[in-house]
Structures are given as C-alpha cells and as structure tokens.
Amino acid sequence: MRSSQWTCNPKVFPSSGFKVLDPSVELDEETLPTYQPEKHYPVKQGEILNNRYQTFAKIGYGVTLTVWLAKDLVGSLYVVFKVYVTGQDRDHERELNIYKHMGLQESRHPGKNLVCKLLDDFYIQGPHGGHICPVHEPLGMSADL
C-alpha cells in the first residue's frame, strides 16, 4: 500500500533467484558472545519502518544495535538508521538527547561536519519490546581531502 505522503515508490525486492543463507550459520551480531536474539528487532530487507524508511541492507552491528541503509520514501534520500536492542532505553534516550542538543548549537568549528547529524528518530515495537531508532545521514569515505 502506498502512503499519500511518499514522494517515491518503495522498491520491490525479488523473492527468488538468489541463494538462501543457511539459518544454522551465525552471522554478524549473532557471533558476539553476549548476543541475545530476543533483544534485537528482526529487521527484514524491504521492510518499511515508521511508514517512511524502507530498509535496503544491514551495514553494521554491535553489541547494542544493528545499522541499516534505507531509503527515505518521503524525502527520496538515502539514510542510515540504528535499531537499538531492548532494555537499555535510558542509555539510548541519553544519546538521542545529545544528538538533538548538538544539532541546535550554532558553531563554525571545523570538526562540526565530522559529527553524524540526527535527521529523525522513531520508536518501533518488536516481538520482545520496544526499540529506539535514530536516523542519520549516511557517512562514507570521501576523495575530497
């Protein structure tokens, strides 16, 4: 279903023509010694979160989060969002407040452009609890030194 607020259509991902990974093989965050699957939100490729962000690929992970490349269907931009594990909302809220505070500050400091900007944040409910999701600009290597 297309939302009237979207400026671009969601991508339709193929359902065949690719190799399915063996579910018994641990990948990414599953290999970490403290991994608890019930704490992670089960993001799926192509899923639209917050009626706005369509997930394309997982680009990172850590003990407390996974990081996803997504398309903002409203702004037609690529974004990166984090999906934090459940149970640490206080720490994650603190991080969000820091990003929001930094975004309000006027500064000509040369390092300001090296700080990841918070574009949005949302909360999703998973099978085992809620997950805080900050949305950022994608960062990458630049040949412009």
Side-chain angles (χ1 to χ4, degrees):
M1 182 170 134
R2 179 178 159 80
S3 171
S4 61
Q5 68 178 0
W6 294 346
T7 58
C8 63
N9 290 322
K11 179 174 177 52
V12 177
F13 290 87
S15 58
S16 63
F18 52 86
K19 182 180 173 185
V20 177
L21 298 174
D22 181 348
S24 67
V25 176
E26 293 180 339
L27 300 170
D28 299 337
E29 67 275 3
E30 297 172 334
T31 64
L32 298 172
T34 59
Y35 175 70
Q36 296 174 312
E38 67 279 1
K39 290 194 168 215
H40 289 265
Y41 180 82
V43 179
K44 295 175 183 61
Q45 185 181 40
E47 182 176 7
I48 298 172
L49 297 173
N50 201 37
N51 198 33
R52 180 172 185 165
Y53 304 108
Q54 184 179 30
T55 60
F56 278 10
K58 181 169 39 173
I59 59 172
Y61 65 93
V63 174
T64 63
L65 57 80
T66 55
V67 184
W68 293 84
L69 178 66
K71 178 81 171 214
D72 178 352
L73 299 174
V74 174
S76 299
L77 303 170
Y78 287 98
V79 298
V80 170
F81 67 89
K82 301 173 186 176
V83 181
Y84 282 105
V85 296
T86 60
Q88 296 179 344
D89 288 356
R90 194 169 125 191
D91 292 339
H92 302 150
E93 285 288 344
R94 187 170 153 241
E95 180 181 339
L96 278 178
N97 289 335
I98 291 169
Y99 276 120
K100 289 175 183 177
H101 178 75
M102 289 178 0
L104 296 173
Q105 302 306 307
E106 292 294 326
S107 174
R108 291 184 296 186
H109 189 282
K112 182 172 180 165
N113 292 332
L114 301 174
V115 176
C116 192
K117 294 175 184 69
L118 181 69
L119 301 175
D120 189 14
D121 64 274
F122 60 94
Y123 186 84
I124 53 175
Q125 186 64 36
H128 301 286
H131 304 267
I132 293 173
C133 303
V135 180
H136 299 280
E137 294 175 318
L139 299 177
M141 296 187 62
S142 172
D144 182 26
L145 301 173

